[in-house]
């Protein structure tokens, strides 16, 4: 029996229960891959796959996502939008706002967002990755389907990671996992409704307020040359704004890595 029981989740979703169709698995390759296969077979919007264990959990650019049943919550949500994928720039940022609102509501202080897809925890004077978001899009006659994958650390991950990582427990949150998943799904539904109506522009103020590195010196490691400047957050399309000696550059590509270059106490730009 999987750690999440959809029967126990339903009452926690209350009036929103009808918007989600949750399947809980002991194991799969990746909840994003499993949900994509089901979406191709016609699964409805609101389908959620949550798995205790992923054999091949993925991050961006084919990187691995580390998780273990007790220490993690790993799931994917299917959502559909009218129109082409180009209208969905900023979707992973919108999801970040929903996720951060939910974690804040569960009592986690210091949850911050890093462009484009990371949720960080301000901890021990620095930032550590608490959750990652992997949005994968596919379009057909009906519009665009988004597979929204979320990996959340309940406990700090054990394993060799190139960047600091943390878990909800480090933020003092010890909430039962059904309550965590229900809170996240409720905030995702709200954020996705706003996004469908207004695009990322409707969530931008909140994103900016949650932005970990607002006004700080950063460098962007691209496939070509690196760029350095002051990070001004995201524009209404979800592009990263970087103030450089040549003016303000807009970075659209997710195929870059953002790094802070100045030290900081991890809390002063909340
Ligand atoms: P970048 O700034 O290059 O985007 P990133 O750390 O945000 O760096 P992503 O591709 O967004 O990179 O996320 C995948 C990365 O997350 C992996 O390379 C790995 O270092 C890290 N990672 C994997 N599992 C976990 C986990 N459970 N918790 C925190 N970080 C993890
Ligand atoms: C990242 O930080 O690059 C994104 C990580 C996303 C991980 C989640 S875990 C659930 C879903 N299934 C996957 O294979 N990936 C996402």
């Amino acid at each position: 029996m999987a750690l999440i029981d959809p029967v126990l989740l339903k009452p926690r979703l209350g009036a929103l229960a009808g918007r989600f169709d949750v399947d809980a698995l002991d194991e799969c390759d990746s909840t994003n891959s499993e949900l994509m296969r089901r979406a191709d077979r016609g699964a409805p919007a609101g389908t959620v796959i949550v798995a205790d264990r992923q054999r091949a959990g993925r991050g961006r650019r084919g990187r691995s996502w580390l998780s273990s049943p007790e220490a993690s919550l790993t799931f994917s949500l299917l959502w559909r939008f009218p129109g082409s994928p180009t209208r969905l720039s900023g979707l992973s940022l919108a999801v970040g706002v929903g996720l951060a609102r939910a974690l804040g509501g569960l009592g986690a202080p210091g949850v911050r967002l890093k462009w484009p897809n990371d949720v960080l925890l301000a901890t021990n004077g620095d930032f550590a990755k608490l959750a990652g978001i992997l949005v994968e899009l596919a379009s057909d006659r009906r519009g665009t389907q988004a597979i929204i994958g979320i990996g959340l650390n309940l406990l700090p991950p054990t394993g060799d990671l190139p960047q600091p990582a943390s878990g909800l427990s480090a933020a003092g949150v010890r909430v039962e996992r059904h309550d965590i998943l229900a809170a996240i799904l409720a905030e995702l539904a709200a954020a996705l409704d706003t996004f469908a109506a207004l695009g990322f522009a409707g969530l931008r103020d909140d994103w900016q307020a949650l932005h970990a590195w607002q006004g700080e010196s950063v460098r962007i490691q691209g496939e070509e040359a690196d760029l350095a400047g002051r990070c001004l957050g995201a524009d209404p399309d979800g592009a990263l704004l970087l103030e450089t000696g040549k003016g303000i550059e807009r970075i659209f590509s997710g195929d870059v890595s953002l790094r802070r270059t100045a030290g900081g106490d991890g809390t002063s730009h909340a």
Side-chain angles (χ1 to χ4, degrees), residues 10 17 46 51-52 59 76 96 108 117 145 153 179 187 196 221 226 236 257:
K10 204 168 178 173
D52 291 351
S76 302
N117 68 323
Q145 70 181 27
N153 300 325
D179 292 322
E187 289 292 356
Q221 303 168 321
D226 286 5
S257 294

Side-chain angles (χ1 to χ4, degrees), residues 59-61 63-67 72 114-118 129-131 133 153 157 160-166 221 254 256-259:
R60 293 190 307 143
R61 291 180 275 169
R63 291 165 170 172
S64 307
W65 183 257
L66 297 185
S67 63
S72 318
K114 177 191 159 204
W115 188 92
N117 68 323
D118 289 354
K129 185 157 167 173
L130 181 61
I133 297 162
N153 300 325
D160 217 9
L161 292 171
Q163 301 290 320
S166 192
Q221 303 168 321
V256 295
S257 294
L258 181 61
R259 295 284 178 269

Side-chain angles (χ1 to χ4, degrees), residues 72-139:
S72 318
L73 187 58
T74 51
F75 68 96
S76 302
L77 164 67
L78 174 63
W79 217 253
R80 290 206 167 85
F81 299 90
S84 78
T86 53
R87 295 185 52 196
L88 300 188
S89 67
L91 178 57
S92 70
L93 282 71
V95 170
V97 170
L99 187 49
R101 283 177 183 162
L103 299 179
L106 290 166
V111 175
R112 300 287 178 266
L113 297 174
K114 177 191 159 204
W115 188 92
N117 68 323
D118 289 354
V119 179
L120 307 180
L121 191 65
T123 179
N124 296 332
D126 209 339
F127 292 99
K129 185 157 167 173
L130 181 61
I133 297 162
L134 179 66
V135 173
E136 298 181 299
L137 303 175
S139 55

